[in-house]
């Protein structure tokens, strides 16, 4: 579905945010991009969403360049930015309608999006009355409503409590498994990603330093969770 080949991105002269990074994601797969603050996750996701251009490398969707794909069908990719916010004076439902209007969503798409939000009657309220978790769920519904074949979700559970995080993770899993779409999810919460993702790429200083299925990586390094895998790898890179 998605192939990222040797992408590189520098901000100004000094900051090498993404350094020759490659990975792929297949249909029906949830791929986790995990790493500490400043590792290059958001930059990578913004490149894949077509929002910024890499200095080098390429992004292919089903073998075709991202640029070409987006020119023909913007609906193929859905992107939830890390710091997305809502318009306080608009209701949840109005958000879905506006977002849907941009992507040519029909009535059935709107209903699908509304169901994903799990907000029920509260969709009729202005989002100024929503909690952070409710806003995040609304935005997730707006992004998945048009059933993108590739959902790019930057820190979808950031700032959410345990209950809300579990519910968002469940929604993402159900979406991918029921539509056969692919998803990339970024997080610095490695334990969460361990539960959610089929495969993960551990990103550090703009590079993927290890990749694989969470269980396999944990076994390979003889540790008890992904956090420990990451710690071992980072120590190795820095020493
Ligand atoms: P976080 O987990 O904190 O969100 P991240 O892994 O998503 O971090 P990025 O946001 O991709 O990391 O940042 C990677 C590097 O690029 C950092 O050093 C950051 O300061 C830098 N950077 C990101 N965006 C810009 C920008 N617009 N201008 C200059 N530098 C930037």
């Amino acid at each position: 579905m998605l192939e990222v080949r040797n992408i590189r991105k520098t901000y100004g002269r000094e900051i090498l945010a993404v350094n020759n990074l490659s990975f792929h994601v297949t249909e029906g797969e949830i791929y986790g991009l995990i790493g500490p603050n400043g590792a290059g996750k958001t930059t990578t996701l913004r490149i894949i969403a077509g929002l910024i251009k890499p200095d080098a490398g390429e992004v292919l969707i089903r073998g075709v360049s991202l640029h070409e794909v987006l020119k023909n069908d913007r609906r193929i990719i859905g992107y939830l930015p890390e710091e997305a916010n809502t318009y306080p004076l608009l209701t949840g439902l109005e958000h879905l309608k506006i977002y849907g209007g941009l992507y040519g969503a029909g009535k059935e798409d709107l209903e699908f999006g509304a169901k994903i939000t799990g907000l029920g009657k509260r969709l009729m309220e202005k989002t100024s009355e929503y909690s952070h978790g409710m806003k995040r769920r609304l935005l997730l519904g707006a992004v998945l409503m048009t059933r993108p074949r590739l959902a790019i979700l930057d820190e979808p559970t950031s700032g959410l409590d345990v209950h809300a995080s579990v519910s968002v993770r469940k929604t993402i899993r159900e979406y991918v498994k029921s539509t056969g779409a692919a998803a990339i999810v970024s997080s610095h919460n490695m334990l969460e990603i361990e539960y959610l993702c089929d495969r993960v790429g551990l990103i550090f200083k703009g590079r993927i330093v290890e990749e694989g299925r969470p269980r396999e990586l944990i076994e390979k390094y003889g540790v008890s969770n992904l956090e420990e895998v990451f710690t071992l790898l980072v120590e190795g890179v820095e020493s």
Side-chain angles (χ1 to χ4, degrees), residues 11-12 15-18 35-44 82-83 154-155 186-188 203:
Y11 293 109
I15 302 169
L16 181 55
V18 175
N37 292 130
K41 303 181 295 296
T42 295
T43 304
T44 301
E82 184 183 2
E83 281 161 15
D154 197 353
E155 307 260 1
S186 84
S187 181
H188 30 74
I203 179 167

Side-chain angles (χ1 to χ4, degrees), residues 10 12 33 35-36 44 51 63 83 99 102 108 117 128 133 143-144 146 154 157 178 182 210 215 231 234:
T10 312
L33 211 48
T44 301
L51 297 175
E83 281 161 15
Y99 195 87
L102 295 174
E108 203 248 327
T117 68
S128 54
V143 168
L144 299 183
T146 50
D154 197 353
T157 61
S178 67
E210 182 59 284
R215 274 284 118 220
T231 307
V234 168

Side-chain angles (χ1 to χ4, degrees), residues 95-156:
H95 278 80
L96 292 181
K97 284 183 177 165
I98 290 170
Y99 195 87
L102 295 174
Y103 285 82
K107 188 167 173 281
E108 203 248 327
D109 294 325
L110 272 177
E111 283 167 7
F112 182 64
K115 188 161 166 256
I116 287 176
T117 68
L119 291 171
K121 287 189 181 140
R122 300 207 60 182
L123 277 173
M124 302 304 172
E125 290 175 22
K126 291 193 174 85
T127 63
S128 54
E129 291 163 30
Y130 284 13
S131 69
H132 175 69
M134 290 167 71
K135 287 181 195 164
R136 212 66 190 142
R137 287 206 64 104
L138 172 65
L139 294 167
L140 186 64
V143 168
L144 299 183
M145 168 170 70
T146 50
R147 296 178 180 80
R149 298 307 296 162
L150 175 64
I152 302 172
L153 309 172
D154 197 353
E155 307 260 1

Side-chain angles (χ1 to χ4, degrees), residues 17-237:
V18 175
N19 183 8
N20 201 24
L21 188 143
S22 303
F23 66 98
H24 74 277
V25 186
T26 58
E27 312 234 7
E29 183 174 52
I30 306 178
Y31 186 91
L33 211 48
I34 58 177
N37 292 130
K41 303 181 295 296
T42 295
T43 304
T44 301
L45 296 187
R46 284 172 63 81
I47 289 171
I48 299 168
L51 297 175
I52 51 176
K53 280 197 171 160
D55 302 330
E58 56 182 355
V59 178
L60 304 173
I61 306 272
R62 294 179 182 144
V64 179
S65 89
L66 176 71
H67 182 69
E68 280 302 309
V69 169
L70 290 178
K71 225 166 52 183
N72 295 324
D73 181 10
R74 277 174 53 217
R75 285 173 58 139
I76 200 154
I77 286 180
Y79 175 54
L80 175 68
E82 184 183 2
E83 281 161 15
N85 214 334
T86 59
Y87 298 96
L89 297 181
L90 298 181
T91 66
L93 188 61
E94 284 166 340
H95 278 80
L96 292 181
K97 284 183 177 165
I98 290 170
Y99 195 87
L102 295 174
Y103 285 82
K107 188 167 173 281
E108 203 248 327
D109 294 325
L110 272 177
E111 283 167 7
F112 182 64
K115 188 161 166 256
I116 287 176
T117 68
L119 291 171
K121 287 189 181 140
R122 300 207 60 182
L123 277 173
M124 302 304 172
E125 290 175 22
K126 291 193 174 85
T127 63
S128 54
E129 291 163 30
Y130 284 13
S131 69
H132 175 69
M134 290 167 71
K135 287 181 195 164
R136 212 66 190 142
R137 287 206 64 104
L138 172 65
L139 294 167
L140 186 64
V143 168
L144 299 183
M145 168 170 70
T146 50
R147 296 178 180 80
R149 298 307 296 162
L150 175 64
I152 302 172
L153 309 172
D154 197 353
E155 307 260 1
T157 61
S158 82
L160 303 193
D161 66 25
V162 175
H163 176 71
S165 298
V166 168
S167 150
V168 164
R169 286 206 296 267
K170 192 164 164 258
T171 302
I172 296 168
R173 260 217 106 70
E174 278 174 9
Y175 175 75
V176 167
K177 298 307 158 190
S178 67
T179 59
I184 312 177
V185 179
S186 84
S187 181
H188 30 74
N189 182 342
M190 304 197 190
L191 299 179
E192 153 168 308
I193 287 290
E194 190 178 317
Y195 299 132
L196 177 64
C197 298
D198 301 305
R199 270 188 320 126
V200 296
L202 276 62
I203 179 167
F204 183 63
K205 294 188 176 170
R207 309 180 74 113
I208 290 193
V209 291
E210 182 59 284
E211 192 186 45
R213 296 187 174 278
R215 274 284 118 220
E216 288 169 8
L217 292 178
I218 289 164
E219 275 169 29
K220 178 175 168 186
Y221 288 89
V223 291
S224 52
N225 57 51
L226 271 186
E227 223 160 61
E228 292 176 21
V229 172
F230 197 85
T231 307
L232 276 179
L233 281 164
V234 168
E235 279 168 1
V237 170

